[in-house]
Amino acid sequence: MGNKLFIKNASELVTCAGTLPKTGREMNEIGIIKDGALIIEHDTIAAVGTTLELSQSYDVQEMTVIDAAGKCVLPGFIDAHTHFVFAGDRSEEFSWRLKGMHYIDIMERGGGIMNTVRATRKADAAALMELGRTRLNSMLAMGVTTVEGKSGYGLDLGTEIKQLAVMQELQQTHSIEIIPTFLGAHAIPPEYKGRGDEFIDYLITEVLPPVAEKKLAVFCDVFCEKGVFSVEESRKLLLAAQNLGIRGKIHADEIVQLGGAELAAEVGAISAEHLLHISDQGIERMAETKTVGVLLPATAFSLREPFAPARKMIDAGVPVALATDFNPGSCYTSSVPLIIALAALSMNMSPAEIITALTANAAFAVGAGDRIGSIEPGKQADIVILEEPSHIFLPYRVGMNLVETVVKKGRVVWQSSGKMPCEKDLG
Ligand code: NIG
Ligand code: FE
């Protein structure tokens, strides 16, 4: 066997090739090749075509083969918005929310994000690493090959750096690729109660510079929300981050319409995320600037809030991505199948648009569209093989994990097959 991998006979090979980010009708063009195949050399995709074309043009005899007959082959999924490094849980708050208490009321009473901040400040790096690793394992099993991870459960220099350093360390030891985002402006800590503006100044002068210097974050995010950080404070922080070479992202218009989408377009943020309450003007501005709308349907579902207007945004030309928002408060799930089901059945996105939103546009939203997010020669070999013949089965089989094999950088890193302990040994 050589060091080349030949994946052949795919009922459907979905390439997601094309210029990024994809908008409007382009989101439906996912480049399906029937009886598709690809050749991987080391960690890179070397060729893509039909099985016949590739078998005729390459010496495939020497290659390791994966037969994908009856299966659908896709680019690895990219979860472009998560908060996966934290300690503790908020199950008690969840039970209060089930009884009707609002997420923001819990936050204003000192629970919410601060609850997780207290637990994360106390946890040591080794404990956070173990928690992070377990969470990455379950993401990988659902076909996630790259994940964006936000800090924001420290809100002080030491803990923010601890969270980011844990992500950097996990990056060395886990096959999932991690894109770290600095979210120091996630809440106002009690030390700065009523002085959000001073907290922003603290982040700008004391925390951002070492984060930038140690190259611990690719993006800087802010929770731009009524009662948290205003548009002015968010603008100030994002411009300061940009001066240090760290591009912006915004938790925008999640609970209240505040103008976060417009701000994202104004400052040249790569994305605005959530957007449940985006204004028409925000949609227009994001379409003009091609700012990605990272939509998080499981959060709307879990908070019992309305879904982001995905249809309106796509039709207006906003590039849309989908992500889980995995976090212990508003959305404690990293389930890609749930995201797919909600996007199809509650947001009216087509199966093809959903695939684009979880691959090509998600790659663009994490600043990695040149490397990942599609199956094209020269791109990193991050591949998912489904147990069904077409991508349409993803929303059709509501909430089911259809991922059979995951390839990261040319290496098979996860497979669903293998004898289950529930089977009787008849041998
Ligand atoms: O994306 N809105 C702010 N941040 C997270 C929630 C974090 C938490 O509740 O711990 C979100 O919904
Ligand atoms: Fe979030």
Side-chain angles (χ1 to χ4, degrees), residues 81 83 150 183 221-224 250-254 273-274:
H81 180 139
H83 312 244
K150 301 175 194 291
L183 178 55
D221 198 343
V222 50
F223 191 14
C224 180
I250 308 184
H251 275 66
D253 304 321
E254 179 178 353
E273 326 209 332
H274 285 287

Side-chain angles (χ1 to χ4, degrees), residues 119-196:
T120 307
R121 282 180 178 177
K122 269 191 227 141
D124 63 22
L128 289 174
M129 281 276 291
E130 263 331 287
L131 290 164
R133 191 191 317 282
T134 309
R135 291 165 189 156
L136 291 177
N137 288 346
S138 51
M139 291 175 189
L140 191 70
M142 287 183 277
V144 172
T145 48
T146 300
V147 64
E148 185 256 14
K150 301 175 194 291
S151 66
Y153 291 123
L155 314 181
D156 61 25
L157 176 64
T159 320
E160 287 294 315
I161 299 260
K162 179 171 71 180
Q163 271 191 288
L164 292 167
V166 162
M167 284 191 252
Q168 195 176 56
E169 182 77 22
L170 282 168
Q171 171 72 92
Q172 308 302 317
T173 52
H174 200 281
S175 25
I176 290 192
E177 201 168 328
I178 301 164
I179 312 277
T181 293
F182 171 62
L183 178 55
H186 196 190
I188 303 167
E191 310 85 276
Y192 282 89
K193 195 163 190 270
R195 299 183 294 134

Side-chain angles (χ1 to χ4, degrees), residues 5-302:
L5 182 62
F6 182 38
I7 304 179
K8 65 173 188 178
N9 296 335
S11 297
E12 197 179 270
L13 182 132
V14 180
T15 66
C16 294
T19 313
L20 297 179
K22 295 196 183 199
T23 56
R25 265 194 268 277
E26 291 161 3
M27 284 192 65
N28 263 317
E29 292 160 11
I30 53 174
I32 294 175
I33 303 176
K34 297 277 180 198
D35 195 13
L38 72 143
I39 292 171
I40 296 170
E41 217 175 317
H42 302 291
D43 59 357
T44 307
I45 298 166
V48 182
T50 63
T51 306
L52 188 67
E53 280 165 0
L54 296 197
S55 334
Q56 283 174 348
S57 329
Y58 294 85
D59 184 8
V60 293
Q61 307 308 323
E62 294 301 306
M63 300 181 192
T64 305
V65 173
I66 295 181
D67 189 346
K71 294 166 189 171
C72 173
V73 174
L74 298 156
F77 296 134
I78 296 156
D79 192 343
H81 180 139
T82 81
H83 312 244
F84 78 94
V85 177
F86 61 85
D89 70 82
R90 310 222 301 266
S91 50
E92 201 181 6
E93 293 180 8
F94 182 73
S95 68
W96 298 340
R97 286 206 287 111
L98 288 180
K99 288 185 193 140
M101 201 187 260
H102 197 270
Y103 177 82
I104 292 288
D105 293 336
I106 295 173
M107 189 163 172
E108 280 168 357
R109 290 176 192 200
I113 292 170
M114 273 320 295
N115 192 341
T116 304
V117 169
R118 286 188 288 273
T120 307
R121 282 180 178 177
K122 269 191 227 141
D124 63 22
L128 289 174
M129 281 276 291
E130 263 331 287
L131 290 164
R133 191 191 317 282
T134 309
R135 291 165 189 156
L136 291 177
N137 288 346
S138 51
M139 291 175 189
L140 191 70
M142 287 183 277
V144 172
T145 48
T146 300
V147 64
E148 185 256 14
K150 301 175 194 291
S151 66
Y153 291 123
L155 314 181
D156 61 25
L157 176 64
T159 320
E160 287 294 315
I161 299 260
K162 179 171 71 180
Q163 271 191 288
L164 292 167
V166 162
M167 284 191 252
Q168 195 176 56
E169 182 77 22
L170 282 168
Q171 171 72 92
Q172 308 302 317
T173 52
H174 200 281
S175 25
I176 290 192
E177 201 168 328
I178 301 164
I179 312 277
T181 293
F182 171 62
L183 178 55
H186 196 190
I188 303 167
E191 310 85 276
Y192 282 89
K193 195 163 190 270
R195 299 183 294 134
D197 52 341
E198 286 176 40
F199 181 59
I200 290 288
D201 288 340
Y202 160 73
L203 293 177
I204 291 172
T205 53
E206 308 286 328
V207 191
L208 257 176
V211 166
E213 199 193 320
K214 293 185 208 288
K215 296 201 185 317
L216 285 170
V218 178
F219 296 105
C220 175
D221 198 343
V222 50
F223 191 14
C224 180
E225 185 63 52
K226 183 163 174 262
V228 193
F229 298 105
S230 66
V231 167
E232 293 68 35
E233 288 162 350
S234 304
R235 180 187 290 113
K236 190 172 178 188
L237 175 72
L238 294 179
L239 292 177
Q242 257 160 231
N243 274 335
L244 297 171
I246 303 179
R247 200 163 169 196
K249 283 181 169 285
I250 308 184
H251 275 66
D253 304 321
E254 179 178 353
I255 319 268
V256 171
Q257 187 180 103
L258 210 67
E262 290 88 329
L263 177 65
E266 177 202 314
V267 299
I270 197 155
S271 59
E273 326 209 332
H274 285 287
L275 304 171
L276 309 191
H277 301 281
I278 187 171
S279 68
D280 287 348
Q281 197 193 326
I283 293 179
E284 227 173 86
R285 295 287 293 120
M286 284 180 67
E288 276 163 24
T289 50
K290 290 203 186 335
T291 308
V292 186
V294 179
L295 308 186
L296 311 161
T299 310
F301 182 58
S302 183

